[in-house]
Amino acid sequence: GNMAAAQIELVGKEVYYQQKQYEDAIESASQAIQNNPSYVKAYIRRSQAYLETDKLDECLAGQNDG
């Protein structure tokens, strides 16, 4: 279901994050959030990637939407 799809997206995001591919990590986490808006870990991971790219406004705004 949606949770499985969200978890698959987040695994991709984890790989991107570890390789410092933060833009790809943001995109992957955003897709996970779209698949399951209640998936808290995706919001956390996306916020971390936003912080790494100095996108503080997006980080704060991203907590309220997918």
Side-chain angles (χ1 to χ4, degrees), residues 6 19 31 41 44 56:
Q19 295 177 353
Q31 185 63 45
K41 190 172 182 179
I44 293 168
L56 301 180

Side-chain angles (χ1 to χ4, degrees), residues 2-4 12 15 28 37 48 59 61 65:
N2 286 345
M3 185 60 161
V15 172
S28 184
Q48 290 172 325
C59 178
D65 61 66

Side-chain angles (χ1 to χ4, degrees), residues 11-58:
V11 167
K13 185 256 165 256
E14 297 280 348
V15 172
Y16 292 137
Y17 189 82
Q18 291 172 359
Q19 295 177 353
K20 300 187 185 305
Q21 297 173 343
Y22 301 119
E23 295 297 330
D24 291 331
I26 291 166
E27 184 178 326
S28 184
S30 294
Q31 185 63 45
I33 292 166
Q34 281 186 334
N35 288 335
N36 184 352
S38 64
Y39 194 24
V40 175
K41 190 172 182 179
Y43 287 95
I44 293 168
R45 298 296 187 237
R46 184 173 69 176
S47 294
Q48 290 172 325
Y50 277 141
L51 289 173
E52 292 290 345
T53 58
D54 292 324
K55 294 183 175 180
L56 301 180
D57 291 337
E58 290 90 337

